Amino acid sequence: MDSEKRRAIVTRLLKAAKEGADEEAQTILNGNNSDYAFVYQHIRNYILKKYVLSPEEPEENLKALAVISLSKMMKIDSSVLREIDLATPCDKATSESTKTALLLYSIQRDLNLPSNPREYAAVETIPELARYIVKYINH
């Protein structure tokens, strides 16, 4: 496959991922049901769509999901990704931590969540994130 075809496919995938994530965010914002199970399901869908991962992906840890997404998008093994990050000094900022931080920022922006850096930075899993959202979504 030539680079133009590959670029077109990746562009379509990323556009669909963004649109799907936006729909999930709107479902949460417009939903009459802001209980944990409802928020958990839709924020999980948001993350999997944003990361272009299968709905069957069992992982719940946000950094692990970032690694899986990066590995698939870059078509490299996750251990190789870790080695690349360790070999590239950038104030200890890894690709997975950067991708996770950007994801959390996107969620905060898309759901109009208040800025609470200390509490938000402690979120590591989808269930923790869903609980955080439920806590602040109605305020």
Side-chain angles (χ1 to χ4, degrees):
M1 175 183 316
D2 69 22
S3 63
E4 285 301 315
K5 286 182 183 176
R6 180 167 168 69
R7 186 175 300 127
I9 290 169
V10 169
T11 300
R12 280 195 306 271
L13 276 173
L14 294 176
K15 182 179 183 214
K18 182 185 180 336
E19 290 171 356
D22 288 348
E23 288 174 11
E24 295 296 338
Q26 284 306 308
T27 299
I28 292 170
L29 289 172
N30 297 333
N32 295 329
N33 185 358
S34 61
D35 72 348
Y36 172 81
F38 176 83
V39 171
Y40 169 84
Q41 186 57 54
H42 290 287
I43 201 62
R44 178 174 169 66
N45 292 344
Y46 176 104
I47 293 165
L48 295 177
K49 289 175 181 179
K50 196 81 147 166
Y51 279 176
V52 192
L53 295 173
S54 165
E56 287 81 36
E57 175 58 53
E59 184 59 59
E60 296 278 314
N61 183 282
L62 298 175
K63 284 187 180 177
L65 286 165
V67 169
I68 294 166
S69 175
L70 286 164
S71 297
K72 287 184 178 186
M73 294 300 282
M74 297 170 69
K75 293 191 175 192
I76 60 173
D77 185 80
S78 59
S79 62
V80 173
L81 180 63
R82 169 84 57 205
E83 289 175 27
I84 291 170
D85 276 343
L86 292 175
T88 310
C90 188
D91 293 331
K92 303 208 186 317
T94 63
S95 299
E96 70 188 53
S97 62
T98 301
K99 190 168 177 102
T100 303
L102 291 171
L103 172 75
L104 290 172
Y105 172 75
S106 293
I107 292 168
Q108 182 179 7
R109 183 194 63 224
D110 291 349
L111 297 180
N112 304 314
L113 296 172
S115 179
N116 188 336
R118 180 170 290 162
E119 189 176 356
Y120 203 48
V123 170
E124 295 182 356
T125 66
I126 297 173
E128 290 171 358
L129 180 58
R131 284 190 289 277
Y132 179 89
I133 293 167
V134 168
K135 181 177 179 179
Y136 290 105
I137 198 77
N138 295 322
H139 291 102

